Amino acid sequence: YVQSEDIFMRMLTPEFSEDGRNTVVEFPKGDISFLHGINAIGTKFKTAGATGPQATKYSFSTNAFYGEKLRMHLVFDFGL
């Protein structure tokens, strides 16, 4: 269960073809990760930055409440 807002789960890493052009993205190491944000992915003909303002690179903005640290609350239930 994700009890924090705006947390995304990435499971497995896609394989990119050699002609991935503008769609190749750097993913965190490993096959499972929880992300605070996701960078935009371009298209075959345009880079992500050329597709509009929502396609800018993700950057974390600090929050004084958390003391400028990234936090997330996750609960794992393995249901025995």
Side-chain angles (χ1 to χ4, degrees):
Y1 305 97
V2 178
Q3 297 180 348
S4 300
E5 291 185 25
D6 297 329
I7 302 296
F8 305 93
M9 179 183 164
R10 179 188 64 90
M11 188 168 168
L12 306 176
T13 302
E15 293 183 23
F16 295 104
S17 68
E18 290 183 26
D19 188 24
R21 298 187 189 182
N22 299 312
T23 61
V24 177
V25 180
E26 267 190 56
F27 287 100
K29 291 182 181 181
D31 289 327
I32 298 175
S33 57
F34 295 91
L35 310 167
H36 282 274
I38 301 173
N39 284 327
I41 298 175
T43 66
K44 185 175 181 180
F45 301 105
K46 293 184 179 182
T47 62
T51 59
Q54 292 183 338
T56 57
K57 190 170 182 171
Y58 174 78
S59 64
F60 173 70
S61 59
T62 61
N63 184 332
F65 180 75
Y66 290 120
E68 299 184 12
K69 294 180 181 176
L70 295 172
R71 295 179 185 219
M72 65 178 70
H73 187 181
L74 305 172
V75 176
F76 295 91
D77 180 4
F78 296 102
L80 300 174

